[in-house]
Amino acid sequence: MHLGRWLRPAFLLVSIAMVPAGAMAQRIAVITSPGAAPVSRAQLAKIYLGRSLERRPLDLPEGILRTNFYKAATDSDPAQVRAAWARIMFTGRGEPPRELPNAAAVKKAVIADGNAIGYIEADALDTSVRAVLFLP
C-alpha cells in the first residue's frame, strides 16, 4: 500500500524527464515593425496560407517552432501549408514565405520592411520589433 504512494510520483517524474525539450509548449510571438498595425489570428492564417497579400510573411527553418506556429496560426501542419503554396505558385498567384535562418534574421527583416510579418520564440522578443499576437 505504501509502495504505490511512492511509485506514482516517481513514474511521473521519469515520464516528464523523457519528454524532449523541444516538445514542451513554447510561446510564439508574431512580430512586425514597430509602426505596423496589429493582425488577428484569422488575418495571420490568410497571410501564411497565401489568401491575403496585405503583408509579406517570413518563415523560420523547418523544426518544432515552425510546426507549432503553423498548427496554432493556421490549424495546418507544415506539409499541408507547403501543398497550399505549391498550388498558389503553380497558378502564379504568389510566392511562399521567405525562409530566414533564425530569429535574429527575422527581426532584422521585419525592421527593414514595414510590410513584413514573422514569428519568433517569445523569449527572443525585444524592443526593436512589435509583438502583434502571441500564440500558445
Side-chain angles (χ1 to χ4, degrees):
M1 191 68 93
H2 294 290
L3 186 59
R5 213 170 84 193
W6 295 104
L7 281 179
R8 283 190 192 124
F11 179 74
L12 179 62
L13 285 173
V14 170
S15 299
I16 290 172
M18 294 178 67
V19 175
M24 297 295 226
Q26 52 188 312
R27 200 157 170 215
I28 301 167
V30 177
I31 61 170
T32 63
S33 64
V39 296
S40 69
R41 186 172 278 169
Q43 288 172 305
L44 185 66
K46 287 179 182 178
I47 292 165
Y48 274 89
L49 291 173
R51 297 180 190 145
S52 171
L53 302 175
E54 69 182 85
R55 301 278 176 97
R56 278 187 276 294
L58 303 171
D59 229 340
L60 288 171
E62 289 197 30
I64 192 74
L65 183 63
R66 185 172 178 169
T67 299
N68 290 345
F69 169 76
Y70 278 111
K71 268 295 190 207
T74 68
D75 288 327
S76 303
D77 62 43
Q80 293 169 311
V81 174
R82 278 192 304 275
W85 278 106
R87 286 189 301 274
I88 291 166
M89 289 184 334
F90 181 75
T91 60
R93 292 185 295 139
E95 292 290 322
R98 186 175 71 172
E99 186 176 307
L100 297 171
N102 54 40
V106 172
K107 287 191 284 188
K108 187 176 178 181
V110 161
I111 293 166
D113 180 356
N115 204 32
I117 188 166
Y119 60 93
I120 59 174
E121 286 187 54
D123 294 344
L125 193 58
D126 60 33
T127 58
S128 67
V129 293
R130 178 180 182 195
V132 291
L133 194 64
F134 286 96
L135 301 172

